[in-house]
Amino acid sequence: MALDNRRLAELAAHDAFIQRHNGPGADDVAAMLASLDMDSMDTLIDRTVPADIRLGRELDLDPPRTEAEALDYLMRIARQNRVFRSYIGQGYHDTHLPPVIQRNVLENPGWYTAYTPYQPEIAQGRLEGLLNFQQMVMDLTGMELANASLLDEATAAAEAMALCKRANKKSKSDTFFVADDVLPQTLDVVRTRAAWFGFELLVAPADELADADVFGALLQYPGQSGQVRNLGPLLESARQQGIMTCVAADIMSLVLLKEPGSLGADIVVGNSQRFGVPMGYGGPHAAFFATTDKLKRSIPGRIIGVSQDSRGTTALRMAMQTREQHIRREKATSNICTAQALLANIAGFYAVYHGAEGLRTIAHRIHRLTTILATGLTEKGVRLAHDSWFDTLRLTGVDAGKIHGRSMAHEINLRYFDNGDVGLSIDETTTAHDLDVLFDVLLGDEHGQSVSVLDEKVVAKATSGIPAACRRESTFLEHPTFHRYRSETEMLRYLKRLENKDLSLVHAMIPLGSCTMKLNATSEMIPITWPEFARMHPFAPRDQVAGYRQMIDELAAFLVELTGYDHVSMQPNSGAQGEYAGLVAIRRYQAAVGEGHRDICLIPSSAHGTNPASAAMAHMKVVVVECDADGNIDAEDLRRKAEQHSDSLSAIMLTYPSTHGVFEAGVREACDIVHAHGGQVYIDGANMNAQVGLTRPGDFGGDVSHLNLHKTFCIPHGGGGPGMGPIGVRAHLAPYVSNHVVTPIEGVEPGCGAVSAAAYGSASILPISWAYIKMMGATGLRRATELAILNANYIAKRLEEYYPVLYKGDNGTVAHECIIDIRPLKVSSGISEEDIAKRLMDYGFHAPTMSFPVPGTLMIEPTESESRYEIDRFCDAMIGIRDEITRVENGDWPANDNPLVHAPHTMADLMDADWTRPYSRELGAFPSEAVKAAKQWPAVNRVDNVLGDRQLICSCPSIDEYRD
Ligand SMILES: *Cc1c(COP(=O)(O)O)cnc(C)c1O
């Protein structure tokens, strides 16, 4: 029986991913449109998106693929990558991700779909995971404090430089010292950052630090070519000269080496990748950042701290949340927002699973294999550049060409230095057999060397590459958490227990405005652990990464089409990094055309805090443009300020649709005004989910935008990272985006320094966005945008009777999110936006974005992935809460004793022997039918923020507390 074309198309439609990604079906859409008095989706969109910026055509993309087709195609691309055994080292090492962690964390939506733990009562699981990470970093580095991750080692080093400058009040110098054995990619990123902060760099052998007039210094431990030296005397003399010091350390080596904290370092940074996180062609992995206690109030990024809940129970939270860019804005020296929470959790769990003994075994084994290799090579007359090592050797006076030829035949990658030296690093996955192969490769065929013979000799001689003065003497990972979970059964249950404390997308919608918590489809996630993507070293030779190159090129081409820009740079690791990279590209371009003096950046008052912080980091002066009563940019104020600063106007940073959730009609005009005064237009692409397929920033006036791939393009938020923030640029800016010292990027000026440690940022999560676009196609992507807008308008409509909707466009619609105003209710009832946020937990929901961009409001973004059923459930909860507020207003419940101020309710509340509250236990914990059917319990009662900040504790509770 022949299938006709129509039937075939129907069958294909059944497989279509579009209907899996999008929540509302056809009937829902009709009903939701009817509730808005709209006769069609086109009418809604016509009334919402200004006509003068509409794309007016379908995006030019291939037809949508099914999940099976897309995975099949991507597998063929992935297989073009050739996974060689990597000994390149240089900050990235192969590792064994324990399968129990791989399956239950990395591949588990209960972990990867969570958001940054802003609501601690429903985030105690990942907060504990991150606290473990901090404790692990503190123990291994010997420092008093550690944050919960940064983007990569190179940016962490750049942050350390900024912190040194800020904290070192004694030094008048503007010069920062970088030891010449620092990793090249770190130097590249530090150089970029220094240039725009206005710092000089002094790159010299570490010993010259003693005579340098500098405010701070960066040293590598062990040095990039493997040398292990006692940094103690250098750090001590620096301290005496008033120089602040940062040590970039290899985390595995710290298991055996003396911890930098005990040697006198002020800051220790590094990459935790080799603690179980795949190399992934450069990322994502979590960098760590540890400091002395003195620096605790200026440490960049997020710190998890210990506090108490309203019952006095120990509870974790993000410390000093308000200290972020949103408060410091243009005075911030760091713009870090999204970091690497998921990867920090994985590295922390690796340490929990192995414990100190396990890590010692792993590190000793790595060191021993390296020692065997070093001994065997020297016996055969090979000269080593250093007589000390942990896991890295540098061979000098060898025939690099011949070694290279043999290594290729064995599918091995080594490191080749410019001077002809050959380097290699041993890792956790290296075996004795690998060492035999390495002898063959390094010595040629007739060497007669073998590990088994040598091994005995080495044991006999008990040689070590670690000088006596550098051996670690202190213990580490002594907290019970690092002892208890050694069997897989125990570990599995620990991971599950933590997961169960957290609310993620597996439970309910997370309506966080500006964060776009949409579906992270399983099919999109599957490729990231394929070895062809996961096991690639970022500095693998070009001809081994053809698959990555094709995937990245295709994704870049998609994004060019979606944004209307001419070129995409795939380097920035987050939205904020993209902002920085984009502004720096603007400044480089302006310098190249003789306009380098332009340094004013106009930023609307409603902007996200990363905008002014990024501008400050690009050495720009921020001038704030006011918004009018409707939340739109005040066109008059913009004109006036552009005029006033015409000669020095560098750029404007706009968010579109605005952070108020509105498609401003005047955006084209705003861009024109800035262009007329010689400025460039940066459009913050965080709200791209309202634009895809309908309008393009590159068409209506943008010169550059970042795209948060972890918002619009389905990379999961991971509980606070990873992310990717590639930037789209118009052609004139393309030569000025970030280059990379190890992996030069075609078409970019050689002098343009890097912003990330790896050339393509966190490349291994790019397949997620690639797959999303591939499976949605042009119609699917446009449909997603339309539905995101429909869902937001539907919510605004359902809630406006109960809560005022703050901003709307000219025709009374909102974009993909809406802001409801809680301030009037606070006046009438005393109930705050925070009480509502906590009460939502009792109803089984995560709160919307609180008090951004307007204090005292909630910003709701449903995304297209939420069904009408779920959205109604959320609206019902909000309406239920409004009824409760009415009862407070009416005096039925006292303002200080009602289910809102006591929210969230925990099992401990229900067990209370004397319940004296004016409402029932049932109303407290089970306010809706939905939660009776499936209850997600907040793990703790409301967490005390003030206490947590006053007595800042960022380590695991002491062992004594466990004894109590
Ligand atoms: C999320 C967001 C950013 C920052 O992006 P990160 O990836 O978290 O660094 C910047 N601007 C706006 C409007 C955002 O919503």
Side-chain angles (χ1 to χ4, degrees):
M1 190 176 65
L3 289 168
D4 65 26
N5 282 344
R6 219 185 107 218
R7 181 78 187 113
L8 268 176
E10 277 168 20
L11 285 175
H14 175 74
D15 280 349
F17 173 71
I18 299 168
Q19 66 195 20
R20 303 293 182 199
H21 176 82
N22 290 333
D27 294 347
D28 299 319
V29 170
M32 290 160 87
L33 285 168
S35 79
L36 297 170
D37 288 329
M38 302 276 178
D39 55 8
S40 70
M41 186 69 97
D42 288 346
T43 307
L44 171 64
I45 300 305
D46 289 345
R47 294 211 190 144
T48 305
V49 187
D52 69 336
I53 61 165
R54 288 289 294 277
L55 177 58
R57 64 167 174 85
E58 203 74 279
L59 290 167
D60 184 11
L61 297 171
D62 287 344
R65 303 295 182 103
T66 66
E67 291 170 271
E69 287 167 349
L71 283 175
D72 195 50
Y73 182 80
L74 191 55
M75 177 62 95
R76 272 181 282 143
I77 294 180
R79 288 203 176 126
Q80 296 174 47
N81 288 333
R82 297 168 68 207
V83 188
F84 280 25
R85 192 75 194 75
S86 174
Y87 300 97
I88 299 170
Q90 220 173 320
Y92 304 93
H93 305 266
D94 206 355
T95 176
H96 290 306
L97 168 58
V100 65
I101 300 174
Q102 173 170 338
R103 175 148 299 181
N104 298 290
V105 181
L106 179 57
E107 298 175 343
N108 178 354
W111 281 96
Y112 64 67
T113 67
Y115 193 68
T116 306
Y118 275 115
Q119 299 292 340
E121 296 84 0
I122 46 173
Q124 290 294 304
R126 57 192 188 279
L127 284 164
E128 180 169 330
L130 292 171
L131 195 73
N132 291 343
F133 174 81
Q134 290 178 182
Q135 185 70 54
M136 166 192 94
V137 170
M138 288 159 59
D139 282 3
L140 286 170
T141 58
M143 302 302 284
E144 290 157 323
L145 197 74
N147 76 6
S149 78
L150 287 179
L151 293 169
D152 58 36
E153 177 169 334
T155 52
E159 295 282 349
M161 171 176 67
L163 177 53
C164 288
K165 183 64 189 169
R166 179 133 74 97
N168 192 344
K169 302 275 186 299
K170 281 185 235 151
S171 172
K172 298 275 171 296
S173 169
D174 274 329
T175 304
F176 186 69
F177 182 95
V178 182
D180 63 358
D181 62 349
V182 160
L183 294 170
Q185 69 271 21
T186 300
L187 176 58
D188 195 2
V189 171
V190 168
R191 205 187 279 287
T192 308
R193 198 75 75 88
W196 298 105
F197 273 138
F199 304 154
E200 296 289 322
L201 282 193
L202 172 58
V203 182
D207 288 320
E208 293 180 18
L209 175 58
D211 312 310
D213 176 21
V214 295
F215 67 84
L218 175 66
L219 306 171
Q220 190 92 37
Y221 184 60
Q224 65 144 324
S225 53
Q227 185 185 22
V228 179
R229 53 180 293 174
N230 181 7
L231 295 180
L234 265 182
L235 294 171
E236 175 56 25
S237 82
R239 198 179 58 76
Q240 282 173 12
Q241 293 171 73
I243 299 169
M244 289 188 59
T245 51
C246 171
V247 173
D250 175 272
I251 193 160
M252 187 64 83
S253 75
L254 294 181
V255 171
L256 302 184
L257 298 187
K258 193 158 271 179
E259 62 280 16
S262 74
L263 300 172
D266 295 300
I267 304 169
V268 184
V269 300
N271 185 0
S272 64
Q273 178 265 317
R274 66 193 303 187
F275 276 22
V277 181
M279 290 184 285
Y281 197 43
H285 335 115
F288 58 84
F289 193 100
T291 67
T292 55
D293 190 62
K294 275 207 308 273
L295 297 173
K296 71 179 167 201
R297 308 258 161 202
S298 8
I299 188 168
R302 276 139 184 181
I303 317 179
I304 308 311
V306 182
S307 184
Q308 289 184 351
D309 74 358
S310 56
R311 288 183 166 271
T313 306
T314 299
L316 308 177
R317 60 183 280 279
M318 288 201 311
M320 304 181 291
Q321 306 192 358
T322 48
R323 187 206 49 138
E324 288 194 27
Q325 318 81 21
H326 282 297
I327 294 298
R328 293 183 55 84
R329 297 186 81 88
E330 67 273 10
K331 289 185 196 65
T333 51
S334 165
N335 63 353
I336 184 88
C337 181
T338 286
Q340 303 281 17
L342 183 72
L343 302 313
N345 269 316
I346 291 174
F349 290 138
Y350 176 96
V352 166
Y353 197 39
H354 287 299
E357 307 87 72
L359 292 182
R360 269 191 213 105
T361 306
I362 294 168
H364 270 300
R365 200 171 158 280
I366 290 172
H367 180 59
R368 195 171 139 87
L369 289 175
T370 313
T371 302
I372 292 169
L373 194 62
T375 310
L377 292 174
T378 41
E379 273 190 8
K380 291 289 167 184
V382 175
R383 272 192 296 128
L384 301 180
H386 309 292
D387 56 8
S388 60
W389 57 80
F390 163 64
D391 65 351
T392 299
L393 302 175
R394 177 170 176 160
L395 287 51
T396 73
V398 289
D399 188 336
K402 279 205 178 129
I403 290 177
H404 181 260
R406 289 192 293 262
S407 74
M408 288 299 113
H410 283 94
E411 306 208 328
I412 277 177
N413 288 328
L414 302 167
R415 181 170 175 202
Y416 300 93
F417 290 85
D418 288 344
N419 72 345
D421 287 2
V422 174
L424 59 95
S425 296
I426 301 300
D427 61 55
E428 180 191 7
T429 69
T430 311
T431 61
H433 170 73
D434 288 330
L435 237 51
D436 279 340
V437 177
L438 276 174
F439 278 129
D440 290 344
V441 167
L442 296 170
L443 296 172
D445 292 332
E446 318 256 300
H447 58 81
Q449 198 67 284
S450 99
V451 173
S452 49
V453 176
L454 271 164
D455 202 3
E456 281 164 33
K457 279 193 208 160
V458 172
V459 173
K461 283 195 255 168
T463 55
S464 161
I466 302 176
C470 298
R471 290 194 194 135
R472 185 176 188 116
E473 283 151 9
S474 60
T475 55
F476 55 95
L477 302 187
E478 299 207 287
H479 286 83
T481 309
F482 298 102
H483 291 289
R484 278 189 193 155
Y485 310 110
R486 228 31 73 65
S487 74
E488 180 166 330
T489 302
E490 285 293 343
M491 187 67 188
L492 178 67
R493 290 178 189 153
Y494 178 56
L495 295 175
K496 199 66 187 177
R497 210 153 59 229
L498 295 187
E499 180 194 340
N500 285 347
K501 292 182 182 183
D502 289 10
L503 189 139
S504 69
L505 284 177
V506 308
H507 299 100
M509 71 187 277
I510 301 183
L512 284 164
S514 210
C515 302
T516 313
M517 302 294 290
K518 57 164 68 173
L519 172 74
N520 316 118
T522 310
S523 52
E524 293 155 4
M525 292 298 292
I526 282 175
I528 64 164
T529 39
W530 289 346
E532 291 86 348
F533 286 132
R535 291 193 72 193
M536 296 302 296
H537 192 287
F539 307 147
R542 214 177 139 78
D543 60 357
Q544 293 170 23
V545 293
Y548 257 117
R549 275 176 28 225
Q550 182 178 342
M551 187 268 294
I552 291 170
D553 286 349
E554 289 189 12
L555 178 58
F558 296 159
L559 296 178
V560 161
E561 171 62 11
L562 265 47
T563 56
Y565 289 112
D566 299 310
H567 176 80
V568 165
S569 163
M570 213 61 90
Q571 191 171 111
N573 267 323
S574 72
Q577 281 271 83
E579 292 170 18
Y580 174 66
L583 293 176
V584 165
I586 288 175
R587 301 218 65 186
R588 285 175 180 147
Y589 162 76
Q590 286 173 335
V593 297
E595 307 255 282
H597 63 281
R598 292 183 174 271
D599 66 350
I600 297 288
C601 189
L602 301 176
I603 300 184
S605 56
S606 62
H608 193 267
T610 53
N611 289 188
S614 301
M617 287 166 59
H619 218 277
M620 293 165 122
K621 296 197 186 82
V622 174
V623 172
V624 176
V625 180
E626 300 305 333
C627 291
D628 64 20
D630 297 326
N632 294 324
I633 290 175
D634 181 338
E636 271 322 299
D637 195 47
L638 171 60
R639 216 180 299 265
R640 200 163 43 237
K641 283 172 175 156
E643 188 97 13
Q644 184 188 343
H645 298 287
S646 192
D647 292 341
S648 49
L649 181 61
S650 175
I652 189 169
M653 292 186 91
L654 292 176
T655 302
Y656 201 73
S658 73
T659 51
H660 291 145
V662 174
F663 280 100
E664 289 169 273
V667 67
R668 213 177 247 283
E669 193 194 350
C671 298
D672 291 345
I673 292 172
V674 172
H675 283 143
H677 288 280
Q680 298 277 300
V681 175
Y682 188 103
I683 295 182
D684 181 323
N687 289 344
M688 196 67 198
N689 210 46
Q691 295 186 51
V692 177
L694 301 180
T695 179
R696 308 194 305 175
D699 292 345
F700 62 71
D703 295 291
V704 44
S705 293
H706 73 260
L707 301 170
N708 304 64
L709 298 189
H710 47 299
K711 294 179 180 171
T712 307
F713 297 98
C714 297
I715 291 176
H717 282 75
M724 267 298 277
I727 53 173
V729 293
R730 289 185 48 212
H732 64 281
L733 295 178
Y736 304 103
V737 299
S738 314
N739 211 323
H740 194 273
V741 66
V742 187
T743 323
I745 296 171
E746 249 167 75
V748 182
E749 291 286 312
C752 296
V755 295
S756 297
Y760 303 101
S762 297
S764 67
I765 51 177
L766 293 176
I768 301 168
S769 301
W770 180 97
Y772 171 61
I773 296 170
K774 200 81 185 164
M775 297 190 297
M776 294 292 274
T779 40
L781 290 172
R782 181 174 43 76
R783 190 69 181 165
T785 310
E786 292 169 351
L787 288 170
I789 293 171
L790 175 63
N791 279 353
N793 278 283
Y794 178 72
I795 290 179
K797 182 76 183 179
R798 271 207 71 190
L799 293 186
E800 72 186 348
E801 222 182 288
Y802 305 90
Y803 302 91
V805 172
L806 204 47
Y807 302 112
K808 287 184 177 171
D810 291 344
N811 297 317
T813 57
V814 298
H816 65 316
E817 58 195 6
C818 66
I819 299 180
I820 58 173
D821 197 351
I822 310 302
R823 292 168 297 186
L825 289 176
K826 189 160 184 183
V827 173
S828 64
S829 68
I831 297 301
S832 69
E833 70 282 5
E834 184 167 27
D835 296 325
I836 297 175
K838 303 305 178 191
R839 185 62 176 150
L840 272 169
M841 296 173 189
D842 290 332
Y843 283 84
F845 286 101
H846 191 288
T849 295
M850 243 170 55
S851 291
F852 171 77
V854 184
T857 64
L858 295 172
M859 180 156 64
I860 304 165
E861 179 182 0
T863 83
E864 69 280 9
S865 295
E866 295 303 339
S867 65
R868 182 171 158 227
Y869 170 81
E870 181 69 356
I871 288 172
D872 278 337
R873 214 168 66 83
F874 172 74
C875 291
D876 291 344
M878 289 300 293
I879 293 166
I881 289 173
R882 183 65 187 86
D883 288 343
E884 292 173 355
I885 297 173
T886 304
R887 296 184 63 179
V888 177
E889 286 171 332
N890 294 344
D892 295 354
W893 290 325
N896 64 353
D897 192 6
N898 59 63
L900 292 138
V901 296
H902 289 309
H905 293 78
T906 62
M907 285 195 249
D909 287 328
L910 263 61
M911 301 299 290
D912 218 336
D914 38 33
W915 179 268
T916 55
R917 296 182 187 171
Y919 58 93
S920 70
R921 288 178 166 95
E922 184 175 14
L923 180 79
F926 297 99
S928 72
E929 289 305 313
V931 287
K932 284 177 195 159
K935 177 78 185 167
Q936 168 72 7
W937 287 99
V940 294
N941 284 90
R942 200 178 297 191
V943 177
D944 188 336
N945 287 323
V946 177
L947 176 77
D949 281 350
R950 206 176 49 228
Q951 47 138 50
L952 193 59
I953 304 172
C954 305
S955 51
C956 287
S958 83
I959 295 156
D960 295 339
E961 267 179 58
Y962 286 91
R963 284 205 196 95
D964 290 347

